[in-house]
Structure formats: C-alpha cells, structure tokens
Amino acid sequence: MNKTVRHLADGREIIYFDEHELAQPREAVDTRDLPAVSAASEIRCDPLTGEWVAMAAHRQTRTYKPPADLCPLCPTRPGKPSEVPEADYDVVVFENRFPSFAKNVSGEATTVDGAGLVPLAPGRGRCEVVCFTSDHERSFGELSAERVRTVVDVWADRTAALSELDGVEQVFPFENRGEEIGVTLHHPHGQIYAYPFVTPRTERMLATAAAYRAEHGRHVMGDVLANEHKAGTRVVAEGRFWTAFVPPAARWPVQVQVVPHRQVADLTELDAAERDDFARVYLQVLRRCDGLYDRPLPYVAGWYQSPRHRDRELSWLHLELFSVLRSRDKLKYLAGSESGMAVWVNDSTPEQIAERLRAAG
C-alpha cells in the first residue's frame, strides 16, 4: 500500500492510500477558496452520570444531502472541485471540515458557570472522513476483498497516528449508512473520531471485563466467543480467525458482532492473515444484511478498541454492526424505556435474528 500526504486549500490534511504503484505521483492541488476551519467544540461532564457530552454548534452548517453531481466526496472533475482534488482514488482520508473535535480548539479546562460542579474543557481531538472508493454508487458490501483489506490497513494506520496526538484517549472508526441512520452524504464513506476521553460504553465494558477476570481468571469476550461456537444458533458467518454472531442479549432488530479469535487490543495488533480473513467474513455479513429485507440495510458499524493509555489487557477488539430497521419498511424507535432508562426491549430474539440472517445469505 502506498501512502501520500497532501493538504487542502484550508490547510486540512488529506491522505491517499493506493493499493498499487502509481504511474504519476499524486500532486493535484485544491483550487477552492476555503475559509479556515473554525471549530468551537467543548466537552462537559454530566455530574449525575459522570459521562462526557460534546457540544459542537458549528456543525449546524455542514453539508446536507447534496445532489449526486455535487457530492463533495467524489473525485474532482472539471468545473466541480470537491474535497478530493485528484481525479480518482482508491481509499482517501481527510480531516473533517465540520469536526466534532479538532486540534486547534481554544480554551482551558474549567467548570460551567465557574461553579465547580460541571467540568468543562475544549473539545480537542480530531475527526477524519474515510472514503472507501471513488465510485459514488457502490456500498461497502460491494467492495472487493482486496479493497476491504486496504480499508482495514487504513483504519490501523489512522488508529496508530491518531493515538499519538496530544490529548487523545480513544480512537473510534465507524461507518453510518442510510438515511434512516441520519446519513446526509450518500457516497460510501466512514469516519474516525479521536476522542479526548474514554467513551461511556467503553468504560462500562472495561469495568465488566475487570470484574469477570477477577472472578473467573479469563476474559469475558473469550468465554462469550467459546459459548457462541458451542451453541452455534447465533453464528452468522465464520472464518479461520473471526466469528460473526448475533450477541446473546441483542438490543437492536439487527445486530452482529464480528470478533477475532485472538485477543488483541486494537486494529494495529492484527496480523496479515487476520486482516485478510476479516475482509472475507465481514463481506459475508454485509451481504446477508442487505439480503435480509431485499433492500440496502441502513446500519451503524463501529470498532471497539482499547483506550490509548490504559486497560489494554482488558480490551478485546471487535466490530459491532446494528440497524434500526425491524422490517422492510418499519423502524425501531428508541422510545421511553430505551431513551429514558436505557432498558432495551427487542421485538425479536437473537436466535431469530441470526436465523433470518443466515437464510438471507
């Protein structure tokens, strides 16, 4: 894989990842007249839960559902400059123009109203956009295994790089797909958030893993994985190094965890064979998801990785995909119980979900 680092007109970094040697170097210039990125993000800690919340009011003006011929993620064409100055690309990563977290946010740590009750700090970090292909009409599930492997290498590259930034505590690569999820740009792409704190979900999982290890001397994910292999009823796809299964306490109408058989803390620790095998297994999962309702499935898919500075021995890398679609034309709404009390009610059992996914593939 070849890597080329360039900069956009407003100074943001753009990185091209090419699968093969190029005949010509990537030297296209961003000719747009762009104002400097101005991010005013801040984070506040909820005094009742201890969870950090990001405030990013500047994102109200971000690009919203442009027509396909003006897509900012497609390659630049004559008279139609985009976020990608080159005429074509394999995989490209660039700093988000409307970031939730940014490295140049000003301010110091303090408290709301100066009262000492609610911690407040600048939302320093980094948000990147990852375009999986230059083809506007494709989806991740339609990529080749070679391209998915390239994307895995890109995720690992960015995890390593972003983890070295001052103030970053956790790196989260993810993909949002479909208008039902809230996607406003239809070009196949994902994002990477470099958070200035450890996320609430991760904190909960680490605490659970620590308690389980103290009682049993093993990692809880290892025992879950062994049980899924033994039961078989929730397994959706399986390779030499990865297993995809519906979690035994699934919250969502469609939910799949893709788990490596070996405990690793983050994407950087995967070896070449594991990265190859992930591409094969994950493509099976995505194709079964799209076959479930005979339509493209809207979903969120994200990587659960170790925090940067602690608890790597308690972390077990895995990807989780979920969808709000409970039938071809019905959505799962997070109403009173889920939104108010975080008590989930699923209209299907995990075993039924897995059976439908296997039949869809």
Side-chain angles (χ1 to χ4, degrees), residues 31 93 119 134 191 198 242 252-253 266 288 305 341 343 347-349:
T31 59
V93 176
S134 61
Q191 300 181 66
V198 178
W242 296 79
W252 298 94
D266 61 28
R288 287 177 176 172
Q305 304 199 92
M341 296 305 296
V343 177
D347 296 330
S348 299
T349 68

Side-chain angles (χ1 to χ4, degrees), residues 143-155:
L143 300 177
S144 67
E146 179 186 23
R147 176 57 53 83
V148 175
R149 167 60 194 274
T150 300
V151 174
V152 175
D153 289 343
V154 171
W155 282 330

